[in-house]
Amino acid sequence: MNRIRSLALPIAVTLTAGALSALAAGTAQAADVNVARNGGFESGLVNWSCTGGTGASVSSPVYAGSGALKATPAGQDNARCSQTVTVKPNSTYTLSTQVQGSYVYLGATGTGTQDVSTWTPGSGAGWQKLSTTFTTGPSTTQVTVYTHGWYGQPAYVVDEFSVFGPDGGGGTDPGPSVPGAPAGAAVSGQSANALTLSWNAVGSATGYHVYQDGVRVKTVTGGASTQITGLTASTSYSFQVSAYNAAGEGPKSAPVTGTTTGTDPGPGPGPAVPKHALTGYWQNFDNGATVQKISDVSAQYDIIAVSFADATTTPGAITFNLDSAGLGGYTVAQFKADIAAKKAAGKSVILSIGGEKGTVSVNDSASANNLANSAYALMQEYGFTGIDIDLENGLNPTYMTQALRSLSSKVGSSLVITMAPQTIDMQSTQGGYFKTALNIKDILTVVNMQYYNSGSMNGCDGKVYSQGSVDFLTALACIQLEGGLDPSQVGIGVPASPSGAGSGYVSPTIVGNALDCLTRGTSCGSFKPSKTYPGLRGAMTWSTNWDAKAGSAWSNSVGPKVHGLP
């Protein structure tokens, strides 16, 4: 919304685009209002009804204010909470809310036209905004708006529920006020030409304006941090942030100063990842697979992901502890020397964060900085050329993006970033993993989705495919390829042997067929992509150890196939 100020009169006039259109037509138009009641749940569940007693008012977590709705699906009850709002016929309304949880739905019924709904596959531990619009019929005066979770899923949380449109006469909550000044502005991730600016979120804000030396340089939505690029080395800059919403822009934050570094040599560049690459996870533990040193890993592997980093008591920070005893007396000195030898041979050795039992959480700016700083320190200590994100308990795309960009600013263009999401994490571009991948597309190396331990999933054609088939591999890869990732950022992740996963093992022949289908349009099953992707990065396996246990059958077959792609 623009504020138009006259120099001659001390009057501020605020006009929406709709109001300007109405004035041009010679008519008056009332401003939109929030026709939902108690949308911030500050009055408990007043005006709300939840099925089966599944809903409750909670004081934490909240997006803004002091209350939020928490509802828990149980059995065949999806924990639906609803409210009937009074609306005006033949009118358009915007329905939105902030949510936490997996498979959270938002919708409206009884609109008199087209009922609507939207959902998120998961927002990790952070808040995510859901929004949709509906239009009322010629005689519609009441509409039921709702939110619900999904069967078998954990509890979900909702806050700041609103239905903005013409006043239907049923009473409203107060409209938004101009947000206050953001607090906690801080600078991190210093490099020669970039700084990362973060601040505390303002609950009523729609977005933020960033000012550099008094000049607005950026507008940020969907987070409370941003990277400022294009700066000069060894130079100090002053930054301020203001929050805005429909009521206007609030006051600026207190200024904070950041200084870029001089020329940043980084921890030493690693080798370039080949156009088509084979990735393998190396186990820093003995679970019945072949115990290996890094030097034992087959030369077929271009990227070796050391599994895993360990969490510390500092949120977001990681460390690494070589299991020397479990690996037959493998010393730290040997480990470092083996990494250096692999790098000299053109291989990338990276550190994987997460795994099935990983507990690393990055949910705010402080933990994002902790991850970036600790990962950078480990790269310098051991010679790792990058990191792998394998967090199976979800991730916050805002702060994981901040962490990875901060690390990139420290390391430079040689940084290798890989991801290993589960299939459910890459079904929608609104998922936390998919969002993060798209957020860092300019610095991302490859996403090796785990096509195992999954069950059936939707392909990009909307059909359901069962794991263990060439169609499962190609139709799910198509979602990533058509969802915004470059083909060079997509890899197929499968177990090296039946022992490597609980389910989803496919033979190397099936992997080869999927690679041919995606890159050449041959050897497809019932699903055939609309075009070919010759730049596809390659394939990944869990693990090099299970591969060795099976006589290296996987790498000896899939490796040459990957390296022979067009």
Side-chain angles (χ1 to χ4, degrees):
M1 184 177 296
N2 295 320
R3 288 191 177 273
I4 304 172
R5 291 183 172 87
S6 167
L7 294 177
L9 297 173
I11 299 174
V13 181
T14 304
L15 298 176
T16 64
L20 288 170
S21 299
L23 291 174
T27 61
Q29 177 175 310
D32 287 346
V33 298
N34 181 13
V35 299
R37 304 300 301 273
N38 189 30
F41 303 96
E42 307 303 318
S43 301
L45 297 186
V46 173
N47 300 111
W48 291 91
S49 175
C50 297
T51 57
T54 53
S57 175
V58 296
S59 58
S60 179
V62 297
Y63 183 80
S66 59
L69 165 68
K70 184 175 183 179
T72 307
Q76 297 302 308
D77 191 334
N78 61 9
R80 185 178 189 268
C81 295
S82 62
Q83 175 181 154
T84 299
V85 297
T86 303
V87 295
K88 191 174 181 179
N90 293 321
S91 301
T92 299
Y93 291 82
T94 298
L95 173 63
S96 66
T97 190
Q98 296 285 342
V99 303
Q100 279 193 31
S102 299
Y103 298 95
V104 186
Y105 285 73
L106 173 71
T109 61
T111 62
T113 57
Q114 179 70 43
D115 290 351
V116 298
S117 68
T118 186
W119 62 286
T120 174
S123 59
W127 290 96
Q128 181 172 330
K129 185 175 182 179
L130 287 179
S131 182
T132 186
T133 60
F134 64 87
T135 301
T136 55
S139 59
T140 303
T141 58
Q142 288 191 319
V143 170
T144 297
V145 293
Y146 64 85
T147 182
H148 67 72
W150 199 246
Y151 309 104
Q153 295 295 318
Y156 67 93
V157 184
V158 171
D159 201 1
E160 297 302 292
F161 195 104
S162 65
V163 186
F164 273 96
D167 189 352
T172 66
D173 280 346
S177 58
V178 174
V187 172
S188 63
Q190 290 92 337
S191 71
N193 56 12
L195 295 168
T196 297
L197 179 66
S198 61
W199 56 91
N200 297 339
V202 178
S204 60
T206 302
Y208 304 90
H209 296 312
V210 176
Y211 293 84
Q212 176 183 316
D213 295 330
V215 178
R216 185 192 294 181
V217 294
K218 208 167 190 180
T219 295
V220 179
T221 58
S225 67
T226 188
Q227 187 179 51
I228 311 296
T229 58
L231 305 178
T232 302
S234 302
T235 304
S236 294
Y237 296 88
S238 177
F239 299 99
Q240 290 177 283
V241 184
S242 67
Y244 69 87
N245 60 17
E249 180 181 1
K252 297 176 185 177
S253 67
V256 60
T257 300
T259 303
T260 53
T261 64
T263 303
D264 186 359
V273 175
K275 177 181 178 181
H276 300 298
L278 196 70
T279 301
Y281 285 79
W282 174 85
Q283 298 177 187
N284 181 37
F285 50 86
D286 180 6
N287 65 346
T290 298
V291 172
Q292 291 183 311
K293 298 178 173 65
I294 292 293
S295 56
D296 297 328
V297 175
S298 167
Q300 293 288 350
Y301 292 100
D302 305 290
I303 303 175
I304 303 167
V306 171
S307 309
F308 293 98
D310 296 314
T312 73
T313 56
T314 301
I318 57 172
T319 188
F320 177 74
N321 299 292
L322 184 69
D323 184 11
S324 296
L327 302 181
Y330 194 20
T331 68
V332 172
Q334 289 176 308
F335 178 70
K336 291 179 179 179
D338 287 347
I339 290 176
K342 284 292 185 182
K343 289 171 66 176
K347 311 300 183 181
S348 295
V349 183
I350 62 178
L351 179 60
S352 183
I353 301 169
E356 179 186 359
K357 299 179 181 179
T359 56
V360 179
S361 296
V362 180
N363 296 318
D364 54 30
S365 291
S367 55
N369 291 334
N370 292 337
L371 175 59
N373 292 336
S374 58
Y376 182 64
L378 292 171
M379 290 179 66
Q380 292 179 306
E381 180 179 358
Y382 290 95
F384 298 123
T385 54
I387 62 172
D388 169 70
I389 305 301
D390 186 17
L391 298 174
E392 298 185 4
N393 56 339
L395 54 78
N396 183 307
T398 298
Y399 296 110
M400 183 56 71
T401 297
Q402 178 185 327
L404 296 176
R405 288 206 171 277
S406 177
L407 181 60
S408 175
S409 72
K410 298 173 185 293
V411 178
S413 60
S414 65
L415 176 67
V416 174
I417 300 177
T418 70
M419 294 183 173
Q422 300 173 96
T423 53
I424 190 67
D425 296 320
M426 302 299 285
Q427 284 278 286
S428 165
T429 56
Q430 295 305 303
Y433 252 106
F434 215 141
K435 275 189 174 182
T436 302
L438 295 176
N439 286 349
I440 63 163
K441 185 176 177 181
D442 56 316
I443 58 174
L444 173 66
T445 306
V446 62
V447 175
N448 292 305
M449 189 173 76
Q450 302 176 45
Y451 292 77
Y452 50 94
N453 295 338
S454 165
S456 300
M457 284 287 162
N458 289 325
C460 67
D461 57 354
K463 296 180 181 179
V464 177
Y465 294 96
S466 299
Q467 67 177 2
S469 66
V470 66
D471 288 332
F472 187 75
L473 304 181
T474 54
L476 269 67
C478 175
I479 295 176
Q480 300 171 61
L481 293 162
E482 296 301 311
L485 292 181
D486 188 84
S488 67
Q489 296 171 322
V490 176
I492 295 175
V494 294
S497 74
S499 300
S503 64
Y505 171 76
V506 292
S507 70
T509 300
I510 295 297
V511 179
N513 290 343
L515 293 171
D516 280 338
C517 179
L518 292 168
T519 60
R520 297 184 170 97
T522 62
S523 303
C524 300
S526 62
F527 172 81
K528 186 171 183 177
S530 59
K531 61 181 179 181
T532 58
Y533 307 91
L536 193 82
R537 181 66 78 176
M540 171 274 282
T541 196
W542 178 269
S543 61
T544 65
N545 306 73
W546 284 115
D547 183 29
K549 181 81 170 182
S552 299
W554 192 89
S555 57
N556 286 339
S557 175
V558 180
K561 187 72 178 181
V562 165
H563 298 138
L565 291 175

